[in-house]
C-alpha cells in the first residue's frame, strides 16, 4: 500500500507543454484519455501528486495532478464536484491510477469533465509516479530552456541591430524574420512608423481577430511611445513569441528615445537657422542657400511663408510638439524640399509658391485634431523670391494669422493679400482709441444692449456693401421696399445723413470693420 504523502508542487515554470503532448511521452504510452478531449491543448507547467483529502488547498494553475485515488476511496460521491473545483483553479488535467483504491470513475465525474473540457487520464498500472514526474518535467524544462535560448538569441540580434545604428525598420524586420509573421511599430495615435513581414499579415495588423495578433506597449522614461504589434495565422503567435515582442519593445523604446534626442538637436539647429533667416541675420543669399540645402530645403525658388500659431487654449507644451509633427508630415506630402521649424508657440513653413497653402493648412489641421482638442490659426504671405525677401514675408504671414483669428475666430486660415483694410486697422496699437472711434461713429449701434441695434447695424452694413442700392439691399434682407426706406430714415436720424456724405459713409464702414475684429 502506498502511504499518503503531502502534495509536493514541482515549482514555477513560465512555459510548458500541452496535455496532448504529455500523453505522447514514453512513460504514458499506455495511458488512456477518459474524458475532456476538448482540453488537450491545456498547458502543463508543473506536476503535483494528490494523496491527501484537502488537496485543493495545495494545487496551482497549469498543474497535471497525479493520484491513485487513495484520498477519494471513501467519498466517491464528491468526485463529480472535484472536477469542477480543479477546473476552477486552472489545473491542466487529472491523471488517475484505477484498480487499487478506485475501480472506476463515477459517470457523473466523466460527464462533468467532458462538459468542462477538463482532461481525465487513466494511468498505466506499471508506471510509477516518479517516472512520469521525471520524464514530463524533463520535457517541460527542455521546452523552457529552448524558449529562453530563443529569446536570448532574439535579444542579442536586436541589440546588435541597435549597436549597428539600425532604426525601427531594422528592428521590425529582425522580429518579423524571427517569428515569421507581420510586425509593425505604431506611434501613440496608431500611425505606422515601421513594418515588415508577409504583406498579407502586415495589411491585417489593425483589424486582425483574436488569436492572430499580439501587442506590446513601447514605454521609455515613463512615457508611452506607442506599441509593437505582430500578426500571423491563427495560433501562430504563442507565449514565447510575446516574450520576444516584449524584448523588441524594449529595444524599440531605446531606438525611439535615441531618435527623439537626435531630432531634438536637429530641430533646434533648424529652428535657430530659420529664425536667423527670417530676421535677416543668416548672411548672404549664397550662404543661406548652402546651409538650407544641408537641411534638404530649397529657399532660392519663389516661395510662400506660412505661420501656424496656436490659438490661446489647451496645453501649449504638448500642443506645440504635436503642431510641429503635423506640419512636418503635411509638408512632406506637398513639398519635399520645403522648410519647417517650430518656434516658441508657432510653426513656420516655407513652401513652393505653387503649393495650395489652404490645402496644406487643412491637411495639417486634420492630423492635429486627431490627437489633441486644440486649434491653430494660419497666415500666408505674398510670394517671396530670395532670402532677402523672407523676413518681410514672415511678417506678412504672422500678421495674416493674427488678423485672421480676429476676423474669423480660432482655426482661421488667412492670406495677407486678402486682409484689405484690416491690415491697416491691425496696426493701431491703441485699442482704446479704436473703441472710442466706434462709439463716436456708430453711437447706440456700437452696442448690443438693444436687440434692435444689431438688426439696424446689419441693415447699415448691407446698404454700404451695395453702395446704397435700396432695391438690392431690400432683396438681400428680404424687406419690403417701403420698410427699408423707413429704416434708412431711422438710421440717418441716429447717425447723420450718410446717404449724402461720402466721408461719413467711409467712417461708418471703418467702424463696422473694427467691430468685426476680435480681441481688440
Amino acid at each position: 500500500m502506498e502511504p499518503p504523502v503531502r502534495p509536493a508542487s514541482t515549482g514555477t515554470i513560465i512555459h510548458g507543454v500541452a496535455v496532448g503532448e504529455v500523453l505522447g511521452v514514453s512513460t504514458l504510452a499506455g495511458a488512456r484519455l477518459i474524458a475532456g478531449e476538448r482540453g488537450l491543448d491545456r498547458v502543463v507547467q508543473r506536476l503535483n501528486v494528490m494523496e491527501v483529502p484537502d488537496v485543493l488547498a495545495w494545487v496551482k494553475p497549469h498543474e497535471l495532478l497525479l493520484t491513485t485515488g487513495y484520498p477519494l476511496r471513501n467519498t466517491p460521491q464528491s468526485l463529480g464536484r472535484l472536477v469542477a473545483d480543479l477546473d476552477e483553479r486552472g489545473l491542466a488535467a487529472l491523471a488517475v491510477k484505477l484498480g487499487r483504491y478506485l475501480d472506476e470513475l463515477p459517470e457523473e465525474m466523466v460527464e462533468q469533465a467532458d462538459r468542462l473540457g477538463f482532461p481525465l487520464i487513466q494511468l498505466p498500472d506499471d508506471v510509477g509516479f516518479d517516472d512520469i514526474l521525471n520524464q514530463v518535467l524533463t520535457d517541460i524544462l527542455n521546452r523552457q530552456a529552448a524558449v529562453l535560448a530563443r529569446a536570448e538569441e532574439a535579444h542579442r540580434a536586436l541589440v546588435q541591430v541597435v549597436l549597428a545604428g539600425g532604426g525601427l525598420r531594422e528592428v521590425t524586420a529582425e522580429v518579423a524574420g524571427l517569428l515569421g509573421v507581420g510586425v509593425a511599430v505604431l506611434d501613440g495615435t496608431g500611425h505606422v512608423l515601421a513594418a515588415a513581414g508577409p504583406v498579407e499579415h502586415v495589411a491585417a495588423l489593425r483589424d486582425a481577430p483574436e488569436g492572430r495578433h499580439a501587442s506590446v506597449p513601447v514605454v521609455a522614461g515613463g512615457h508611452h511611445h506607442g506599441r509593437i504589434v505582430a500578426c500571423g495565422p491563427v495560433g501562430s503567435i504563442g507565449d514565447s513569441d510575446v516574450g520576444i515582442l516584449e524584448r523588441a519593445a524594449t529595444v524599440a523604446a531605446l531606438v525611439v528615445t535615441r531618435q527623439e534626442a537626435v531630432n531634438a538637436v536637429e530641430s533646434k539647429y533648424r529652428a535657430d537657422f530659420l529664425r536667423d533667416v527670417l530676421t535677416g541675420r543668416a548672411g548672404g543669399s549664397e550662404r543661406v542657400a548652402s546651409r538650407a540645402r544641408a537641411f534638404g530645403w530649397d529657399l532660392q525658388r519663389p516661395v510662400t511663408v506660412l505661420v501656424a500659431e496656436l490659438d490661446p487654449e489647451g496645453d501649449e507644451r504638448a500642443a506645440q510638439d504635436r503642431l510641429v509633427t503635423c506640419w512636418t508630415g503635411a509638408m512632406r506630402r506637398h513639398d519635399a524640399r520645403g522648410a519647417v521649424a517650430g518656434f516658441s508657440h508657432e510653426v513656420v513653413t516655407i513652401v513652393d509658391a505653387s503649393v495650395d497653402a489652404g490645402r496644406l493648412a487643412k491637411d495639417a489641421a486634420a492630423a492635429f485634431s486627431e490627437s489633441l482638442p486644440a486649434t491653430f490659426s494660419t497666415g500666408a504671405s505674398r510670394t517671396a523670391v530670395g532670402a532677402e525677401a523672407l523676413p518681410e514675408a514672415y511678417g506678412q504671414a504672422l500678421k495674416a494669422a493674427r488678423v485672421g483669428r480676429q476676423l474669423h475666430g480660432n482655426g482661421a486660415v488667412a492670406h495677407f493679400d486678402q486682409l484689405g483694410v484690416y491690415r491697416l486697422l491691425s496696426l493701431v496699437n491703441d485699442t482704446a482709441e479704436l473703441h472710442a472711434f466706434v462709439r463716436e461713429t456708430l453711437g447706440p449701434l456700437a452696442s448690443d444692449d438693444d436687440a434692435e441695434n444689431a438688426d439696424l447695424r446689419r441693415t447699415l452694413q448691407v446698404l454700404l456693401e451695395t453702395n446704397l442700392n435700396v432695391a438690392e439691399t431690400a432683396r438681400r434682407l428680404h424687406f419690403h421696399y417701403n420698410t427699408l426706406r423707413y429704416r434708412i430714415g431711422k438710421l440717418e436720424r441716429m447717425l447723420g445723413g450718410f446717404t449724402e456724405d461720402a466721408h461719413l459713409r467711409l467712417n461708418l464702414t471703418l467702424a463696422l470693420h473694427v467691430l468685426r475684429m476680435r480681441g481688440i
Side-chain angles (χ1 to χ4, degrees), residues 396 398-408 414-429 434 438 461 465 508-518 520:
Q396 293 171 357
L398 191 59
K399 176 70 68 178
R402 294 177 179 175
V403 175
R405 182 189 294 115
Q406 286 181 314
L407 291 175
H408 308 296
H415 194 285
F416 184 74
D417 279 339
Q418 298 170 348
L419 299 181
V421 70
Y422 295 107
R423 296 208 318 263
L424 302 177
L425 293 174
S426 67
L427 296 175
V428 180
N429 295 322
L434 286 175
V438 171
Q461 181 176 330
E465 288 175 355
L508 290 171
T509 301
L510 288 174
L512 290 172
H513 282 324
V514 172
L515 275 182
R516 285 192 63 197
M517 297 180 69
R518 308 176 188 209
I520 62 170

Side-chain angles (χ1 to χ4, degrees), residues 460-510:
L460 175 63
Q461 181 176 330
V462 177
L463 275 169
L464 294 172
E465 288 175 355
T466 61
N467 197 25
L468 301 182
N469 187 323
V470 178
E472 176 62 17
T473 302
R475 187 188 66 79
R476 288 192 190 182
L477 296 175
H478 306 289
F479 287 161
H480 189 276
Y481 183 85
N482 291 336
T483 301
L484 183 58
R485 296 301 307 178
Y486 168 78
R487 286 192 167 221
I488 293 173
K490 188 171 184 177
L491 284 168
E492 289 201 307
R493 288 192 296 273
M494 297 173 68
L495 306 173
F498 65 87
T499 58
E500 303 294 336
D501 188 340
H503 291 291
L504 178 55
R505 290 199 298 274
L506 175 60
N507 287 341
L508 290 171
T509 301
L510 288 174

Side-chain angles (χ1 to χ4, degrees), residues 365-423:
F368 189 68
S369 63
E370 288 179 0
S371 56
L372 289 171
T375 58
F376 60 85
S377 296
T378 307
S381 74
R382 293 170 173 163
T383 299
V385 181
E388 297 83 357
L390 291 177
E392 182 180 357
Y394 169 63
Q396 293 171 357
L398 191 59
K399 176 70 68 178
R402 294 177 179 175
V403 175
R405 182 189 294 115
Q406 286 181 314
L407 291 175
H408 308 296
N410 293 348
V413 178
H415 194 285
F416 184 74
D417 279 339
Q418 298 170 348
L419 299 181
V421 70
Y422 295 107
R423 296 208 318 263

Side-chain angles (χ1 to χ4, degrees), residues 33-40 42 79-87 92-94 105-121:
L33 181 69
I34 299 174
E37 185 176 0
R38 285 189 297 111
L40 288 179
R42 293 192 182 208
L79 293 181
R81 181 60 199 167
L82 176 64
V83 168
D85 289 338
L86 295 177
D87 179 70
L94 175 64
L105 298 179
E107 186 174 336
E108 178 189 357
M109 184 178 186
V110 175
E111 290 176 354
Q112 180 84 307
D114 272 329
R115 188 163 54 251
L116 296 174
F118 182 83
L120 283 180
I121 302 168

Side-chain angles (χ1 to χ4, degrees), residues 132-340:
I132 297 174
L133 289 167
N134 287 336
Q135 188 169 13
V136 175
L137 275 179
T138 298
D139 285 352
I140 292 174
L141 292 174
N142 286 341
R143 181 73 57 86
Q144 174 93 347
V147 167
L148 292 176
R150 182 169 177 248
E152 191 62 32
E153 178 188 354
H155 181 72
R156 283 197 299 269
L158 290 169
V159 169
Q160 189 58 42
V161 166
V162 176
L163 292 177
L168 294 178
R169 183 180 301 174
E170 288 74 20
V171 170
T172 54
E174 186 69 32
V175 178
L178 288 168
L179 303 184
V181 297
V183 178
V185 176
L186 313 180
D187 66 11
T189 63
H191 292 97
V192 177
L193 301 178
V199 175
E200 64 275 15
H201 296 161
V202 172
L205 278 167
R206 292 183 180 275
D207 305 315
E210 193 70 27
R212 284 195 59 193
H213 75 285
S215 177
V216 175
V218 176
V219 181
H223 297 289
H224 191 285
H225 295 281
R227 55 200 173 100
I228 184 167
V229 184
C231 176
V234 175
S236 62
I237 301 175
D239 291 341
S240 62
D241 297 325
V242 174
I244 291 177
L245 275 184
E246 289 171 347
R247 292 178 181 245
T250 302
V251 174
L254 177 62
V255 171
V256 170
T257 304
R258 181 189 66 189
Q259 190 58 49
E260 284 185 346
V262 172
N263 289 344
V265 174
E266 291 182 349
S267 179
K268 183 180 184 304
Y269 279 121
R270 285 195 296 266
D272 288 345
F273 170 62
L274 194 57
R275 186 180 288 107
D276 287 343
V277 170
L278 298 177
T279 55
R281 297 179 299 182
S285 296
E286 287 301 322
R287 185 170 184 272
V288 169
S290 175
R291 291 193 61 189
R293 280 194 296 271
F295 291 118
W297 302 343
D298 182 359
L299 303 184
Q300 292 181 299
R301 55 190 174 159
V303 296
T304 301
V305 177
L306 302 175
V307 171
E309 191 174 50
L310 285 170
D311 294 322
E313 293 176 5
D315 182 353
E316 185 168 323
R317 173 68 181 275
Q320 177 64 18
D321 292 341
R322 185 61 187 159
L323 189 63
V324 176
T325 301
C326 292
W327 272 93
T328 301
M331 170 65 83
R332 287 178 185 148
R333 294 189 293 273
H334 288 265
D335 183 4
R337 295 182 299 161
V340 183

